[in-house]
Amino acid sequence: MTMADTASPTATAARPPAIGWRLPPFYCPIEAPVHPRADQLEQRAIAWLDSTGIFRDDVDRAWSIATHSTDFSCRIIPHGRDEPLLLFIEWNHWAFALDDFWHDTGSADIATARIVDLNARISRCLEAPGSAMLGTTPFERALEDLAARTRAMVGPVHLRRIAEGLRDWLFGAAWQVSNIERGVMPTLSDYVALRPSINGTRFSLAWSQAATGIELSDEELSAAPVQALVDAAGFVVSCDNDLFSYAKEDDQETTDQNIVNVVAHHHGGTPEQALTEALAVRDRVMTLFLDLREQVARDAGGELRRYLEALGHYISGCIHWMNAAPRYASPRNRYRLPVPGATYGITWRDTPSDPGTGPLPIPAAAWWWDQLETAQRPRSRRASDLHQELRVPSPRAGGAGTAERSAPGG
C-alpha cells in the first residue's frame, strides 16, 4: 500500500506535504540485507516494551511499534549477534520516545536549559553506574535498565564508543532545540556539520561495531578518511530522513530544520523548488562516500573492511526501513493510528541526480573531499551565513542519468 493509497481515507489524511507524497528516486547502489531473525527479535523487543510501562495508552504503544525499530536495527546490522542487537532495538524504541516527547515536539514553547539538563543526566546514567542522575518514572527506569545491561554486555572499548555516540547524539539534539528556542534556521554549512550528530550517527555505528564484534583500533577509527566517511554516511542518512519525515513534521508550530527547509530559507523559493538542490547535495555526498570508501578499502585490514561494509548498510538499510515504517508512511499528524502496510513506494535511480564529483562549496564538508587521493582542490571556503555560491547542477532531462527502478519487493 503506497502513500497514494493510504492518503485517501479523509481530507486531512489526503493533505500532501509541500514536497509532495511522491519522493524522488533514490541513488544508493548498496545492497540492503536484513537480519534473518528479525521477526523473533521484534517479538522480544515488544515484550520488553510492554514490561516497562512507559506507554501512556494503547495509542502510544501502537506508535512506538510503528517506528519499526527492529527493522531499522536489523537492516543496519544485518549480521549482528542476537543479544546485543536486541538491546540496540530496545535502545531505539526508547530513543524514539525521547525524541517525540522531549527533543523534537515541534512546539515553540521549549527551554534549551531543560533539555541540556536532561541530556546530561541521560549521558551520565550510562557512563556512571549508580549515579542516581534520573528519577523513578517508568521512562527513567527503562533507561536505567538499558544502561545496566549495556555495561554488562559489551566490552570496555565498545562501551566507551557507545557512550561517546550517545553523548554526540544528545549534544546534537541540544543544538537543534537551541535553534528552535532562538528562532534560528541554521546555515547550510552549520546544518551539514551538526546533522549527523542530531541523527545519532555515531551511536548507531558504535552498536554496529559492538553487535557484530568489529574490533577496530582507535587509530583506525580515528583516521581522517574514516571519520570523513562516518560524517558523509551520517549526512546522507540524515538527508533521506529529512525527506521521509517531512510530512510527519509539517504541521509543527516551528519550521522544521531539515535539508529542504534550510536550502529554501537561505536561497529562496518554495520547499518543492528547494528539493532538487537538496537532492543534488545529497547525491554529491553519496558519490564522495562511494569513492572514498573504495579508496580506504584498498589498504584496509579485515576489521576495517567489515566496518566499511557496516557504513554502507547504515545508508541502504535506513532507506528501506523508512520507506515502509508507518511512523513516516502514515504519519501521526494525519492518522490516529498507524496504517498497516503503508509505504512510500520509493523508486531507485542508477546514477546520481548531480553528476559532479568535485567538492561542494560548503565549508563544513570541504575536508571530506580532502581525503581523496585525487581530490579536486579548488573550492570556496567563504564562511558567509547564506553560502549563496552553492548552486549544484540540476538533473538532466532524459538520458542515462535518470533511470528509475521500483523498490525491490515493492
Side-chain angles (χ1 to χ4, degrees), residues 29-41:
I30 303 172
E31 292 184 354
V34 63
H35 196 280
R37 289 178 294 284
D39 290 343
Q40 298 94 310
L41 290 168

Side-chain angles (χ1 to χ4, degrees), residues 11-312:
T12 300
R15 177 176 60 86
I19 62 173
W21 284 121
R22 187 68 170 177
L23 297 180
F26 284 82
Y27 173 61
C28 182
I30 303 172
E31 292 184 354
V34 63
H35 196 280
R37 289 178 294 284
D39 290 343
Q40 298 94 310
L41 290 168
E42 181 173 43
Q43 293 174 8
R44 295 177 62 189
I46 292 174
W48 176 82
L49 276 172
D50 289 336
S51 73
T52 64
I54 65 174
F55 303 124
R56 295 176 297 190
D57 51 40
D58 288 342
V59 174
D60 278 353
R61 179 182 185 274
W63 283 107
S64 180
I65 295 172
T67 63
H68 280 197
S69 291
T70 300
D71 191 54
F72 163 65
S73 306
C74 288
R75 286 189 181 278
I76 73 169
I77 312 177
H79 309 304
R81 293 168 292 161
D82 286 11
E83 296 311 311
L85 181 54
L86 174 64
L87 187 51
F88 179 55
I89 295 168
E90 294 164 355
W91 266 105
N92 281 308
H93 275 292
W94 186 89
F96 277 120
L98 177 69
D99 186 60
D100 289 342
F101 295 109
W102 280 274
H103 287 167
D104 195 18
T105 64
S107 172
D109 182 21
I110 192 167
T112 304
R114 187 163 61 243
I115 297 299
V116 169
D117 179 73
L118 172 65
N119 287 357
R121 293 174 183 277
I122 291 170
S123 180
R124 292 304 289 164
C125 179
L126 176 60
E127 297 169 335
S131 57
M133 293 290 289
L134 294 172
T136 58
T137 67
F139 185 80
E140 292 161 333
R141 289 198 302 268
L143 175 61
E144 291 282 7
D145 174 63
L146 292 171
R149 290 163 55 208
T150 300
R151 289 192 298 267
M153 183 175 296
V154 305
V157 173
H158 286 139
L159 178 61
R160 173 170 55 82
R161 290 174 183 169
I162 290 170
E164 290 172 349
L166 178 64
R167 186 181 290 274
D168 185 61
W169 166 49
L170 297 171
F171 162 76
W175 178 78
Q176 182 181 42
V177 298
S178 76
N179 290 335
I180 296 173
E181 186 174 47
R182 294 177 295 145
V184 171
M185 179 63 76
T187 68
L188 181 56
S189 187
D190 287 351
Y191 189 73
V192 169
L194 272 298
R195 187 61 173 92
S197 295
I198 298 169
N199 198 44
T201 294
R202 283 173 171 78
F203 181 68
S204 294
L205 293 176
W207 275 104
S208 290
Q209 297 173 58
T212 55
I214 296 175
E215 300 290 347
L216 282 177
S217 69
D218 285 342
E219 183 179 9
E220 289 175 302
L221 186 60
S222 301
V226 176
Q227 287 303 303
L229 283 169
V230 169
D231 274 355
F235 180 69
V236 170
V237 168
S238 297
C239 288
D240 295 343
N241 180 255
D242 288 346
L243 300 186
F244 281 109
S245 63
Y246 201 95
K248 181 177 75 72
E249 298 166 348
D250 67 355
D251 64 341
Q252 296 180 348
E253 292 181 80
T254 58
T255 302
D256 190 49
Q257 299 167 63
N258 60 58
I259 185 64
V260 174
N261 290 343
V262 167
V263 171
H265 179 80
H266 290 298
H267 293 168
T270 66
E272 188 174 18
Q273 292 169 334
L275 177 61
T276 297
E277 186 174 344
L279 187 67
V281 171
R282 180 264 187 209
D283 283 4
R284 183 81 72 89
V285 176
M286 184 76 212
T287 297
L288 173 278
F289 173 84
L290 294 170
D291 291 344
L292 183 56
R293 188 174 71 147
E294 181 179 359
Q295 172 187 303
V296 173
R298 287 200 295 266
D299 298 320
E303 294 301 286
L304 181 54
R305 280 179 172 272
R306 293 175 65 201
Y307 187 60
L308 298 177
E309 181 182 42
L311 292 175

